[in-house]
Amino acid sequence: MTNSEKPDEMRVVALVMAAGSGRRLGGSTPKQFLKIGGIPILRHAATALLSHPGIDAVRVVADPEQAAAVAEALNGLATGDIIPGGAERDQSVRNGLDGVRDLSPVVVLIHDAARPFVPYAVIDRVLTALETHAGAIPALPVADTIKRAGGGLIKETVPRQDLVRAQTPQAFRYQAIAEAHATLGDAGLTDDAGALESMGLDVAIVDGDPSLQKITTSEDLRVASRLHSQTLETRVGTGFDVHRFGPGDSVILCGVPIPHTRALAGHSDADVGLHALTDALLGAIGDGDIGAHFPPSDPKWKGADSALFLEEAATLVANRQGTIVHVDVTLICERPKVGPHRDAMRQRIADILSISPSRVSVKATTTERLGFPGREEGIAAQAAATVRLPSQDDDGENNG
């Protein structure tokens, strides 16, 4: 269900539960901060929910002592303030439900941070099921024969025909799940559907997805890493920009002020390098161009630092669960000389994009005194950006 399909009053908020210590993997780092494809598990989960058009807001419930790690993992994502978790999961969920009350949700999704990959189709299915039920969960049938054991011996063979493995995100009518948790208190529930079950409310089961496997062991992490690498595609975007010279005594190129006999003219700070690179990133994700996002007719961008444009492009990449692999900028001019400032430019771009300088290239060339750059009437720049994104079907559905 997309925003255009759901009723106006059906405000959907997602909670990402990340308050556990998550140290069963054996290290000192909680599992929600371990990385898959260079991206924290928590960020994978949050960006998948944020990028679904049927979800209006995402909030993260976490241990306050891990606030710095959460902030680093979610840097640049629109997840709002962290909601403090409790000592047990029940309390953390209640805190989360209370923490989003001011958003007036009609529907809430509750998702485990340790399930990094959330297919759009699963979210669609649980939201659709809520049209006729108070709750809905994704689940997969149990394929293996189930034995009840004790003392190292088989005590019973459990019929498996009606057994399913519950997954998240689980979706609920907000009022129903909030009342159920408030009534039950610390009942030690292992999933939130149990809260509605105990209140006698029907919970629908929809088809889950194997990619929703919860990461609990080191083998789970290895499988998730393989899955991630198999579902990525590499895209390349290009950008080109030109700015003429005007009165002034310095230019800004790739975020670095450089003394010069003239300045570049433009509505913003006229940073031709960052403008070309912004267009390259937008091109890689197929999201228009810099003029569409930051129209020069809008007075709010007059004199603006072009780093803002590049930061927004990087955020749009991140919101699509993308990773910036490499960026390359070529400045085309006779003067000023770029060589003495190249390292500073690479570092500035790296800082804006939150990537290593080793993933940034800045070059310069001339036109052998030909054309407007050769006549020193202005500066041109071209850029290329390589990003990795979850692969998509032809209809645009995210398969991550």
Side-chain angles (χ1 to χ4, degrees), residues 1-291:
M1 181 184 302
T2 66
N3 278 335
S4 61
E5 296 169 334
K6 67 185 182 181
D8 290 341
E9 72 276 7
M10 191 170 170
R11 183 166 177 78
V12 179
V13 177
L15 288 172
V16 182
M17 307 307 299
S21 60
R23 290 191 168 90
R24 277 185 287 177
L25 284 182
S28 60
T29 301
K31 63 185 175 185
Q32 57 266 39
F33 305 121
L34 297 177
K35 294 182 178 181
I36 296 175
I39 299 173
I41 289 172
L42 172 59
R43 188 180 184 94
H44 277 292
T47 52
L49 295 167
L50 277 167
S51 59
H52 189 280
I55 297 174
D56 298 296
V58 174
R59 295 293 181 266
V60 174
V61 181
D63 183 344
E65 293 186 0
Q66 297 174 352
V70 173
E72 181 180 354
L74 300 175
N75 182 40
L77 298 185
T79 52
D81 293 334
I82 297 169
I83 299 174
E88 301 295 335
R89 190 181 189 280
D90 298 31
Q91 182 62 58
S92 292
V93 173
R94 290 200 301 275
N95 290 357
L97 293 170
D98 289 341
V100 299
R101 193 178 299 276
D102 64 322
L103 298 177
S104 302
V106 174
V107 168
V108 62
L109 274 64
I110 303 177
H111 182 62
D112 297 330
R115 301 181 194 267
F117 308 130
V118 191
Y120 283 9
V122 172
I123 299 175
D124 290 340
R125 288 195 284 267
V126 293
L127 290 178
T128 298
L130 283 189
E131 295 173 3
T132 52
H133 298 84
I137 71 167
L140 292 176
V142 174
D144 298 321
T145 297
I146 303 299
K147 303 286 187 180
R148 192 183 308 281
L153 299 173
I154 294 174
K155 298 298 184 182
E156 178 187 6
T157 298
V158 181
R160 68 185 184 191
Q161 60 266 26
D162 295 325
L163 296 180
V164 296
R165 294 188 288 124
Q167 299 178 315
T168 69
Q170 300 185 354
F172 307 96
R173 290 285 173 167
Y174 175 79
Q175 199 60 40
I177 192 65
E179 290 177 0
H181 267 288
T183 299
L184 292 172
D186 296 326
L189 298 173
T190 58
D191 79 336
D192 299 288
L196 290 195
E197 295 166 41
S198 68
M199 305 296 288
L201 297 174
D202 289 339
V203 179
I205 294 176
V206 304
D207 290 341
D209 193 284
S211 66
L212 276 169
Q213 174 69 28
K214 187 175 183 179
I215 294 176
T216 303
T217 67
S218 56
E219 179 58 24
D220 294 335
L221 185 61
R222 284 192 291 271
V223 170
S225 297
R226 288 197 298 270
L227 175 66
H228 180 64
S229 64
Q230 292 166 2
T231 59
L232 290 178
E233 62 185 37
T234 300
R235 296 187 183 184
V236 177
T238 62
F240 183 81
D241 195 38
V242 173
H243 281 280
R244 61 179 175 82
F245 280 123
D249 58 7
S250 66
V251 296
I252 299 177
L253 295 176
C254 295
V256 176
I258 301 172
H260 191 50
T261 55
R262 284 175 289 178
L264 290 173
H267 186 64
S268 63
D269 64 4
D271 189 330
V272 65
L274 293 192
H275 291 183
L277 185 50
T278 298
D279 262 349
L281 285 174
L282 293 173
I285 60 174
D287 198 357
D289 58 24
I290 191 171

Side-chain angles (χ1 to χ4, degrees), residues 224-363:
S225 297
R226 288 197 298 270
L227 175 66
H228 180 64
S229 64
Q230 292 166 2
T231 59
L232 290 178
E233 62 185 37
T234 300
R235 296 187 183 184
V236 177
T238 62
F240 183 81
D241 195 38
V242 173
H243 281 280
R244 61 179 175 82
F245 280 123
D249 58 7
S250 66
V251 296
I252 299 177
L253 295 176
C254 295
V256 176
I258 301 172
H260 191 50
T261 55
R262 284 175 289 178
L264 290 173
H267 186 64
S268 63
D269 64 4
D271 189 330
V272 65
L274 293 192
H275 291 183
L277 185 50
T278 298
D279 262 349
L281 285 174
L282 293 173
I285 60 174
D287 198 357
D289 58 24
I290 191 171
H293 288 269
F294 310 99
S297 58
D298 190 338
K300 72 183 289 186
W301 305 120
K302 184 172 178 60
D305 184 346
S306 294
L308 296 174
F309 307 157
L310 190 58
E311 286 173 353
E312 174 63 14
T315 297
L316 292 172
V317 172
N319 286 348
R320 288 162 173 77
Q321 296 178 272
T323 302
I324 299 171
V325 177
H326 186 262
V327 296
D328 183 19
V329 180
T330 300
L331 299 168
I332 306 169
C333 61
E334 295 292 334
R335 292 187 301 156
K337 296 301 181 184
V338 171
H341 309 282
R342 181 180 289 110
D343 288 344
M345 293 178 181
R346 294 178 63 219
Q347 185 62 58
R348 178 61 180 143
I349 291 171
D351 290 343
I352 296 169
L353 297 178
S354 297
I355 61 177
S356 167
S358 65
R359 297 184 181 272
V360 180
S361 172
V362 175
K363 309 186 301 294

